[in-house]
């Protein structure tokens, strides 16, 4: 199938929109490969290829998420380009991966560019803030977000239009041995994702859970869903043994609601606007513009005089960064403080508002990043991937729904509970329950990764020894000792490489070279 | 005290620390030093929740931290030291804290006007502290997460 200019435009729009949504729609994780690749497949009339590439690519990038303003691989660029070329040039799954992964890593330059460009919009917004011009600020929010979307859409468009002939020519001209090499490298690639995730998720005490998950999958062949089920039960058992979760929020229960000076209508408005927190994300001030935009109509309402309004905008345009889903508590507490300040400037000074923001944003980012980007997204990604790899079209839908139901629930509850109880909720939340919850999630997550390694990583050796007429297949011998031992070794190799300080790109290069050579020599295949 | 990782970061414990550095450095105990944070029960509680489960978190005032350093506390436990600014770090070093390289995250006080890198700004006093730390021979590296490339602050400081 040929990629026409029209088709390239549509696909570029899809990739760009995914990035735009990350900025303006509350980080719904639609830019993940498990959604982007099947969507590309659907548009090009080959959903099955999309599902296979999406499932595998999701595993490769399992551990790669944006934390704290760092720039992750650009997954939509890789997933859309990889899938589109796979369908247009009839590439194999592995060949598509070998294109998609480096492209995604290169694609992080797009975000770098957008974040740099956005500093201009934030600076302009500051000028508008001085005049109390809320329209101007809104305009900068939208321009910044469009810039972020275009930074992904334009490279996708150019690559699709200019690249397809080269890809088709290259794929037909490649000699057999290089093709086998690419295939083997492609099969090893998911080990990159498993190894990265292992290095972030596994503290030494929890590592055995990874091996338990692996063993259930490798020896008993239970599959990822079976292993995940056992993992969740193991986590529940562990949490119960350690004392359960009942005391998690006991501190805040049974107390009279704090009277919130912020009306329900204003609360709802802040909830919806808080989806735009990552708007015009810039290097120097990150979520400052998005946070300002979230509170802007409320500030305009309470500070009737334009001078105070302008001052409040300016103070919120200073550096801000927290987890995009769990900004609610900060919004709520700042709104309360601002409305008190509007009534009596003597009671609440500027510094104390800044201090609250500064003191809450770091810890909330830590809690949110490790629960959401570090645990929920990879676990759901793993489950959805294993469905996608079986060709089940429900996979991307399930991923989207579970993630975003959790998204709405967390965003709404953290906001509304903070309007009710103020900071008291966080002062009285029971830490040991909280860490038990995270420990349980870590156990389930590690077992899930073990299950994925033992199920979906397909590294084998075709080596056959002949000793006195009897031929021994090395793989059969290995299987007799430990099935899937090569996938396990590959994952552990990546894990130790990263622990020793190798960067993801370096590990990727090593996999491509080692896999390519061993494949071409027919040692792996 | 066995320090395995030292970081200057205005947000102390957050996602980059939890997901990025804790396991990679084998940290079992985080010593976060800041007078204001240590005196605020809300912030203390939140920071403890933000750390990885199984990692002990000690949030100390400067005085308490100096005491821990002089006692050579926590035997052989791998410790991560976190401070909000270079002034606090310099004070700890002068109190006898033994560290290797210095890692730097986001550091930008609202009133900091000297731009060192995209993510690191300094006040006059902070700049002096950075220079002093560099003069004492420490390697200072700006790197948010392990997978990011390193910007040498030592080199940047040569220009000031």
């Amino acid at each position: 199938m040929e990629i026409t200019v029209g088709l390239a435009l549509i696909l570029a729009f899809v990739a760009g929109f995914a990035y735009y949504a990350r900025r303006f729609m509350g980080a719904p994780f639609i830019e993940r490969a498990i959604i982007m690749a099947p969507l590309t497949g659907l548009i090009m009339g080959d959903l099955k290829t999309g599902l296979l590439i999406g499932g595998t690519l999701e595993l490769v990038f399992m551990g790669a998420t944006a934390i704290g303003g760092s720039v992750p691989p650009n997954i939509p660029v890789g997933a859309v380009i990889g899938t589109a070329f796979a369908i247009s040039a009839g590439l194999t799954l592995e060949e598509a991966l070998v294109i998609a992964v480096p492209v995604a890593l290169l694609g992080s330059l797009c975000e770098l560019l957008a974040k740099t460009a956005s500093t201009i919009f934030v600076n302009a917004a500051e000028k508008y803030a001085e005049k109390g011009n809320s329209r101007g600020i809104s305009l900068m929010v939208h321009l910044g977000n469009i810039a972020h979307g275009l930074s992904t859409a334009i490279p996708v468009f150019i690559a699709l239009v200019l690249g397809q002939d080269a890809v088709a020519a290259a794929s037909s001209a490649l000699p057999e041995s290089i093709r086998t090499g690419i295939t083997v490298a492609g099969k090893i690639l998911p080990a990159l994702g498993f190894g990265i995730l292992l290095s972030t998720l596994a503290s030494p005490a929890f590592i055995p859970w990874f091996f338990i998950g692996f063993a259930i999958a490798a020896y008993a062949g239970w599959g990822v869903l079976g292993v995940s089920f056992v993992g969740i039960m193991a986590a529940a058992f562990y949490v119960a043994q350690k004392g359960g979760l009942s005391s998690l929020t006991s501190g805040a229960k049974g107390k009279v609601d704090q009277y919130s000076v912020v009306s329900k209508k204003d609360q709802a408005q802040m909830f919806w606007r808080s989806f735009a927190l990552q708007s015009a994300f810039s290097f120097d001030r990150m979520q400052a513009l998005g946070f300002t935009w979230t509170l802007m109509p409320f500030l305009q309402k309470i500070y009737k005089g334009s001078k105070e309004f302008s001052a409040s905008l300016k103070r919120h345009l200073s550096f801000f960064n927290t987890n995009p889903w769990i900004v609610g508590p900060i919004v709520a507490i700042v709104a309360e403080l601002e409305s008190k300040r509007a009534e009596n400037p003597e009671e609440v000074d500027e510094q104390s508002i800044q201090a609250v923001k500064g003191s809450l944003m770091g810890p909330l980012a830590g809690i949110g990043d490790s629960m959401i980007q570090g645990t929920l997204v990879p676990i759901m990604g793993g489950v959805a991937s294993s469905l996608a790899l079986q060709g089940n079209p429900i996979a991307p839908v399930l991923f989207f729904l579970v993630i975003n139901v959790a998204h709405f629930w967390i965003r709404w509850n953290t906001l509304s509970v903070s309007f009710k109880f103020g900071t008291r909720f966080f002062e009285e939340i029971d830490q040991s329950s909280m860490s038990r919850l995270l420990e349980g999630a870590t156990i389930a997550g590690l077992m899930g990764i073990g299950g994925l390694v033992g199920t979906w990583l397909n590294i084998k050796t075709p080596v056959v020894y002949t000793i006195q007429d009897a031929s021994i297949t090395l793989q059969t011998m290995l299987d007799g000792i430990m099935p899937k031992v090569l996938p396990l070794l590959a994952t552990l190799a990546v894990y130790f490489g990263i622990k020793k300080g190798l960067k993801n790109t370096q590990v990727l290069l090593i996999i491509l070279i080692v896999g390519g050579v061993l494949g071409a020599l027919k040692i792996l295949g | 005290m066995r320090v395995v990782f030292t970081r200057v970061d205005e947000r102390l414990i957050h996602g980059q620390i939890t997901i990025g550095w804790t396991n990679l450095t084998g940290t079992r105990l985080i010593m976060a030093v800041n007078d204001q944070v240590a005196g605020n029960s809300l912030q203390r509680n939140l920071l403890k929740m933000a750390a990885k489960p199984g990692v002990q978190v000690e949030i100390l005032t400067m005085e308490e931290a100096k005491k821990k350093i002089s006692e050579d506390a926590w035997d052989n436990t791998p410790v991560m030291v976190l401070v909000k600014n270079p002034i606090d770090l310099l004070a700890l070093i002068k109190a006898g804290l033994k560290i290797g390289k210095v890692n730097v995250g986001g550091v930008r006080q609202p009133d900091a006007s000297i731009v060192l890198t995209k993510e690191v700004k300094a006040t006059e006093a902070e700049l002096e502290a950075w220079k002093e730390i560099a003069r004492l021979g420490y390697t200072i590296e700006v790197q948010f997460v392990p997978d990011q490339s390193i910007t040498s602050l030592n080199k940047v400081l040569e220009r000031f």
Side-chain angles (χ1 to χ4, degrees), chain A residues 68 70 199-203 284 319 321 359-360 362-363 366 369 423 426-427 429 431 439 498-499 503-504, chain B residues 10-11 13-16 19 23-24 41-43 45-50 52-53 108 118 145-148:
Chain A
S70 60
S199 72
T200 62
L201 208 56
S203 33
D284 53 349
F319 167 78
N321 194 27
S359 66
L360 290 176
D369 288 359
T423 56
F426 293 95
E427 282 171 69
I429 203 166
Q431 267 170 41
E439 283 169 16
I498 290 171
K499 280 221 125 181
K503 302 247 185 312
N504 299 354
Chain B
E10 71 214 333
R11 294 193 292 160
I13 305 173
H14 55 104
Q16 291 165 15
I19 298 184
N23 280 333
L24 201 71
S41 67
L42 169 66
Q43 290 192 42
N45 204 6
L46 277 170
L47 281 175
K48 285 183 180 173
M49 279 194 280
K52 235 180 157 51
R108 50 216 134 179
K118 279 197 298 272
V145 287
D147 194 45
Q148 204 181 34

Side-chain angles (χ1 to χ4, degrees), chain A residues 95 169-182 520:
Chain A
E95 288 164 347
S171 85
S172 57
L174 282 181
E176 186 56 30
S177 62
I178 293 185
R179 283 191 151 225
T180 351
I182 289 178

Side-chain angles (χ1 to χ4, degrees), chain B residues 9-160:
Chain B
D9 187 321
E10 71 214 333
R11 294 193 292 160
L12 295 175
I13 305 173
H14 55 104
Q16 291 165 15
I17 305 292
T18 314
I19 298 184
W21 295 104
T22 304
N23 280 333
L24 201 71
T25 54
T27 298
R28 305 308 301 153
L29 187 147
I30 293 176
M31 176 171 91
V33 185
N34 186 278
D35 283 341
Q36 180 262 332
V37 175
N40 180 320
S41 67
L42 169 66
Q43 290 192 42
R44 274 207 317 269
N45 204 6
L46 277 170
L47 281 175
K48 285 183 180 173
M49 279 194 280
K52 235 180 157 51
V55 175
Q56 190 184 338
V57 180
E58 297 283 343
I59 296 158
L60 306 176
T61 61
M62 187 52 78
E63 282 315 305
E64 289 165 339
K66 284 178 178 167
K67 192 153 166 280
K68 292 285 183 195
I69 293 167
S70 66
E71 287 168 357
D72 199 16
W74 305 310
D75 302 322
N76 211 22
T77 310
V79 175
M80 178 189 289
V81 176
L82 297 178
V83 290
K84 279 197 171 186
N85 58 59
I87 300 167
D88 288 354
L89 181 63
L90 187 60
L92 292 178
I93 292 172
K94 286 189 170 156
L97 183 71
K98 296 270 176 297
I99 58 169
K101 279 194 267 191
V102 177
N103 171 273
V104 185
V107 184
R108 50 216 134 179
Q109 300 293 328
D111 54 340
S113 56
I114 305 161
V115 179
L116 297 179
T117 73
K118 279 197 298 272
E119 291 105 351
V120 181
K121 293 178 182 160
T123 60
E124 285 293 341
E126 284 176 334
L127 181 64
E128 285 314 307
W130 282 127
K131 282 187 187 164
E132 180 66 25
I133 294 167
R135 261 199 297 276
L136 291 170
Y138 292 98
T139 306
I140 314 172
E141 299 176 338
V142 183
Q143 190 187 21
F144 275 24
V145 287
D147 194 45
Q148 204 181 34
S149 57
I150 293 168
T151 308
S152 164
L153 204 60
N154 300 78
K155 280 214 185 104
V156 175
L157 287 167
E158 283 167 14
R159 299 201 312 261
F160 286 88

Side-chain angles (χ1 to χ4, degrees), chain A residues 30-230:
Chain A
I30 59 171
E31 79 281 8
R32 300 296 300 178
I34 190 71
I35 291 182
M36 282 292 111
L39 203 55
T40 306
L42 192 69
I43 292 168
M44 294 181 71
D46 187 352
L47 179 58
K48 189 150 185 291
T49 301
L51 284 168
L52 286 181
I53 295 176
T56 318
L57 209 52
E58 184 63 34
L59 298 180
V60 176
F61 285 122
M62 255 185 132
T65 42
I67 36 172
S70 60
V71 179
N74 191 321
I75 296 169
V77 169
V80 171
I81 292 178
T83 312
F85 284 154
I87 296 171
S88 75
L91 306 181
T92 64
L93 169 63
E94 287 81 11
E95 288 164 347
L97 286 186
V98 170
I99 294 180
V101 175
V103 164
L105 290 172
L106 262 181
S108 60
L109 290 175
C110 310
E111 188 171 328
L112 226 71
L113 213 69
K115 283 181 172 172
T116 310
S118 289
T119 56
I120 302 167
F121 299 117
V122 181
N123 285 333
E126 200 161 38
K127 298 254 156 58
Y128 286 118
E130 231 148 89
K131 295 177 210 133
N133 180 346
S134 55
R135 280 209 179 156
I137 291 177
S138 290
L139 182 66
M140 293 305 115
V141 165
H142 295 304
L143 286 180
N145 291 336
I146 290 168
H148 272 270
L150 285 179
S151 77
T152 289
I154 293 173
V156 168
F157 179 75
I158 294 174
L160 287 179
V161 170
L162 300 182
Q164 68 168 333
D165 292 335
V167 170
S171 85
S172 57
L174 282 181
E176 186 56 30
S177 62
I178 293 185
R179 283 191 151 225
T180 351
I182 289 178
T183 305
V184 170
K187 282 182 176 168
I188 303 176
L189 272 180
L192 176 65
F194 301 143
I196 295 172
L197 197 57
L198 211 52
S199 72
T200 62
L201 208 56
S203 33
F206 289 94
I207 281 270
W209 295 103
F210 164 74
F211 289 98
I212 294 173
F214 170 77
I216 297 174
Y219 286 107
W222 274 22
V224 176
L225 292 182
V227 176
S228 301
F229 186 77
V230 178

